[in-house]
Amino acid sequence: LTLSLSAQDITLEDIWKKGTFRQRSVYGLSSMNDGIHYTTLDRGEKGNEINKYSYDTGEKVVTILSDEELQQLTGNDDATIKGYRFSTQERFALIPFDQESIYRHSTKEHYYIVDLKERKARQLATGEQQRHATFSPDGKSIAYVQENNIYIQDYATGSATQITKDGEHNKIINGFADWVYEEEFAFDQAFFWSPDGKKIAYYRFDESEVKEFHMPVFNTLYPEDYTFKYPKAGEDNSKVTIQVYDLSAASTNVLDIGDYEYIPRIKWTQDANLLAVMKMRRLQNILEIDLVNTSDFSRKTIYKEASDTYIEISDDLTFYGKNAGFIWRSEKDGFFHLYRYDIDGSNGKQITNGDWEVKQFIGYDPKTENLYFSASRTEVYNTEIYSVSLKGGEPQLLSPKSGTSRASFSAGYQYFILYHGDANTPQTVTLKNASGKDIRTLEDNAELKETLKGYNLPKQEFFDMTTSEGVKLNGWMIKPSDFDKKKKYPILMYVYGGPGSQTVSNGMGGNSFWYHMMAQKGYIIVSIDNRGTGARGKDFRTLTYRQLGKYETMDQIE
């Protein structure tokens, strides 16, 4: 197919080099403790800046730290702020540098510790890069991982205590996830301070019996051989234990949590001595949550769920009311919904219900006893934001019904920032109060919206199709602007279809304008979510359990 280029034709340079269609947003946003201010990472005239803003007025209050000051404090003319993490009291900031990516989520880096009160800075540690530097709740210590071992550094003196000593590459990991846990359970940091800062609970992975995989890494003219522990299906996994280090006693205890293959999450409760531990069998069809008392190491199972397929893991476990109870998201009734239980696992109550899915539990406001969550109630390809009482009832819609919404709430849940757009409209970033009322627009992408008017883009259309087996599938299609239904067109199909995924979502994705460029060249672009994908309930998603590839292929062929 050949088309003469005009001013309205999209080019690869527009998409990937010039950034013609790049959406503006609000980046690095973090609520401050007072709940009335937030910080963002902005690009200033002389480099990056961490700026403090008022939720109420939207005005910048102060620049907390800039590249220019960081360079002065560290004596490093190349220092730049690419990310930041505050201590609990917000006196200190950790600034990573020399960052190196490892796998999907993991990185290692060096850190600067910046004292925002005394306006001083120093490097956390030298030598091999560190991972997951995290302040203790009282801000007096920093825990981090270096070369497979965990260290605790006293801020005032700078002296570090090595609390594990058996860490070894491709053998023993302390404090970060092995390949399986990072890839399949989607977390990397694997140590956690207790609420009072007196203990650290951490994962220990023994990879000794896991078989090695060799992979060429093409960083240079001659690729290097990278060897790592990689268990294939049915092979030996790491042997995983949870250990608790007591700072005052300088002692470590290994938790006895009974029978398990995986420990997909651990989480401290609001009691500084009670640790929640999730455990699963290898088939991932039985989930138990134990509460372990880290003073006397007694254990009680407070939740158990069984399934004929697999159980999805999330970060939604939330304890409330000074350990009065906990909130959990489960699909045991066929769709993901929110439940609450007393702390001992009794008096379970389903909070939300219906033939739709709670996608993510966002948080709980103890003052109003409201829960906030995202869901696909209107259409499976939309995502909306809702609130609902801990006691149940009808959820309150806090976002537009159509499109894709994401919310970032302030500490105290007085405000939230809503990121919203749809497949044909760039996102708008809006500040709202907890009831969903607009306060102000932070970014409307007006310039991009005006730019798009000059490109004569066709609309991305959503549709349903029914297979020969009577299964309804969702899809989207982009046709050429001059589409003629009497003509035949080549079709490009974008397929993923993995468990719980969605390619059919009502948002402007990273490849949207490449699809539009192909439509301008005379192609129809289509994507369809096959059986096994998300937002359609448990039966639809888990049909592919232990037989991946069968139903997905059948549906894409149809």
Side-chain angles (χ1 to χ4, degrees):
L1 295 175
T2 57
L3 290 172
S4 59
L5 288 177
S6 67
Q8 293 183 337
D9 285 331
I10 298 172
T11 66
L12 289 174
E13 287 75 16
D14 283 326
I15 302 169
W16 306 118
K17 184 177 181 180
K18 298 178 183 177
T20 303
F21 308 113
R22 186 175 297 126
Q23 298 185 69
R24 295 175 62 88
S25 188
V26 178
Y27 298 102
L29 187 145
S30 178
S31 173
M32 302 199 77
N33 291 340
D34 60 14
I36 60 175
H37 295 97
Y38 63 92
T39 59
T40 62
L41 183 57
D42 301 328
R43 180 68 182 175
E45 292 183 2
K46 295 183 179 181
N48 294 334
E49 299 173 340
I50 304 173
N51 290 320
K52 177 180 178 179
Y53 293 88
S54 165
Y55 276 111
D56 189 44
T57 67
E59 298 296 322
K60 186 171 91 169
V61 177
V62 68
T63 295
I64 294 176
L65 186 67
S66 66
D67 280 356
E68 185 177 27
E69 184 182 14
L70 181 65
Q71 290 162 9
Q72 293 172 354
L73 294 177
T74 61
N76 179 1
D77 293 340
D78 296 322
T80 183
I81 306 168
K82 296 181 180 178
Y84 64 97
R85 182 187 298 178
F86 292 131
S87 62
T88 304
Q89 294 79 12
E90 297 172 343
R91 173 176 170 174
F92 303 104
L94 280 168
I95 309 296
F97 67 100
D98 288 344
Q99 190 173 80
E100 179 182 334
S101 294
I102 304 173
Y103 299 130
R104 183 189 295 263
H105 306 286
S106 53
T107 61
K108 57 182 179 179
E109 50 268 316
H110 287 110
Y111 298 88
Y112 290 123
I113 310 169
V114 181
D115 185 331
L116 299 172
K117 180 181 179 181
E118 300 292 338
R119 312 314 290 186
K120 298 187 297 185
R122 65 173 173 81
Q123 188 170 329
L124 171 64
T126 58
E128 177 70 21
Q129 292 139 301
Q130 300 90 51
R131 301 170 71 155
H132 310 305
T134 306
F135 281 103
S136 60
D138 60 10
K140 295 180 179 179
S141 302
I142 308 160
Y144 59 89
V145 176
Q146 188 173 34
E147 294 184 319
N148 289 36
N149 283 310
I150 303 173
Y151 294 77
I152 300 176
Q153 184 181 113
D154 180 89
Y155 173 75
T157 65
S159 63
T161 300
Q162 184 175 343
I163 70 171
T164 68
K165 298 182 179 179
D166 58 350
E168 185 178 339
H169 178 64
N170 278 347
K171 187 174 181 181
I172 302 294
I173 300 173
N174 293 294
F176 66 90
D178 72 350
W179 188 93
V180 170
Y181 274 62
E182 177 173 346
E183 178 67 20
E184 302 302 338
F185 291 129
F187 74 91
D188 183 30
Q189 180 168 340
F191 71 84
F192 308 93
W193 286 99
S194 62
D196 61 2
K198 295 180 179 180
K199 297 176 182 178
I200 289 180
Y202 64 92
Y203 284 73
R204 178 183 184 272
F205 295 86
D206 183 346
E207 299 185 295
S208 302
E209 303 303 317
V210 179
K211 293 182 174 64
E212 292 184 343
F213 191 86
H214 296 265
M215 180 174 68
V217 178
F218 297 91
N219 288 331
T220 58
L221 180 62
Y222 292 92
E224 298 175 352
D225 183 51
Y226 179 68
T227 302
F228 64 110
K229 297 286 187 162
Y230 178 77
K232 295 193 175 185
E235 298 295 321
D236 288 335
N237 282 312
S238 296
K239 293 179 174 62
V240 184
T241 55
I242 302 301
Q243 312 203 10
V244 176
Y245 179 78
D246 187 314
L247 276 70
S248 59
S251 63
T252 300
N253 284 279
V254 182
L255 302 189
D256 178 5
I257 57 171
D259 186 26
Y260 65 90
E261 174 77 20
Y262 299 119
I263 307 174
R265 294 289 188 276
I266 63 173
K267 184 173 186 176
W268 288 100
T269 70
Q270 295 180 4
D271 183 329
N273 290 314
L274 284 181
L275 180 71
V277 181
M278 296 184 196
K279 56 186 184 181
M280 302 185 88
R281 309 288 170 82
R282 180 140 189 173
L283 291 180
Q284 299 178 50
N285 57 357
I286 296 176
L287 168 69
E288 292 178 283
I289 302 177
D290 288 354
L291 279 189
V292 181
N293 188 313
T294 59
S295 294
D296 61 15
F297 299 99
S298 59
R299 171 172 60 93
K300 176 181 175 59
T301 299
I302 61 170
Y303 182 83
K304 185 171 182 177
E305 183 176 332
S307 171
D308 54 357
T309 57
Y310 63 89
I311 296 171
E312 196 73 36
I313 291 297
S314 72
D315 293 309
D316 295 333
L317 179 64
T318 301
F319 294 90
Y320 67 89
K322 296 181 179 179
N323 271 11
F326 63 92
I327 299 161
W328 180 241
R329 184 173 66 106
S330 170
E331 59 177 348
K332 59 186 178 181
D333 81 336
F335 291 86
F336 275 117
H337 283 293
L338 299 176
Y339 296 77
R340 66 178 173 87
Y341 298 85
D342 289 350
I343 191 63
D344 62 359
S346 63
N347 297 321
K349 177 179 173 58
Q350 187 168 347
I351 301 171
T352 62
N353 58 80
D355 293 346
W356 51 273
E357 298 224 318
V358 173
K359 285 190 165 182
Q360 180 189 17
F361 173 60
I362 298 173
Y364 169 70
D365 180 359
K367 297 189 303 295
T368 63
E369 292 194 332
N370 281 336
L371 286 69
Y372 297 93
F373 63 93
S374 65
S376 298
R377 290 189 74 188
T378 56
E379 297 283 355
V380 296
Y381 45 75
N382 290 331
T383 302
E384 311 94 38
I385 307 299
Y386 294 90
S387 68
V388 68
S389 169
L390 180 65
K391 299 174 182 177
E394 181 66 19
Q396 177 187 353
L397 181 66
L398 303 178
S399 67
K401 289 185 177 181
S402 181
T404 296
S405 294
R406 177 173 63 87
S408 175
F409 278 79
S410 65
Y413 296 93
Q414 186 176 351
Y415 304 98
F416 72 96
I417 291 176
L418 180 72
Y419 301 78
H420 174 265
D422 61 42
N424 299 298
T425 311
Q427 75 172 358
T428 297
V429 184
T430 311
L431 175 65
K432 293 175 175 283
N433 65 19
S435 299
K437 181 180 178 181
D438 286 353
I439 297 177
R440 76 179 53 79
T441 298
L442 304 179
E443 177 58 64
D444 60 8
N445 273 296
E447 185 177 342
L448 176 57
K449 291 172 184 176
E450 189 63 31
T451 297
L452 293 180
K453 292 178 182 179
Y455 281 86
N456 190 28
L457 301 180
K459 294 289 185 183
Q460 182 171 321
E461 306 167 8
F462 291 87
F463 65 91
D464 297 331
M465 64 160 284
T466 302
T467 71
S468 60
E469 296 179 75
V471 179
K472 188 176 79 170
L473 304 177
N474 303 304
W476 59 253
M477 180 184 299
I478 301 175
K479 302 172 185 174
S481 296
D482 59 352
F483 177 74
D484 183 348
K485 63 182 180 181
K486 295 180 181 179
K487 294 182 179 180
K488 289 186 177 182
Y489 294 84
I491 291 180
L492 172 70
M493 291 192 70
Y494 172 62
V495 179
Y496 179 63
S501 67
Q502 277 183 278
T503 61
V504 183
S505 61
N506 193 5
M508 192 170 281
N511 284 328
S512 292
F513 291 98
W514 186 78
Y515 298 144
H516 281 293
M517 185 191 75
M518 297 304 291
Q520 285 188 337
K521 295 181 180 297
Y523 289 83
I524 295 173
I525 299 89
V526 178
S527 191
I528 293 175
D529 278 338
N530 47 252
R531 282 173 287 183
T533 55
R536 295 280 301 274
K538 178 182 177 181
D539 290 345
F540 190 89
R541 178 174 57 84
T542 64
L543 183 70
T544 61
Y545 179 64
R546 304 191 75 180
Q547 48 183 352
L548 289 176
K550 176 182 176 181
Y551 294 105
E552 303 95 318
T553 305
M554 291 166 60
D555 289 350
Q556 293 296 335
I557 289 172
E558 291 231 4

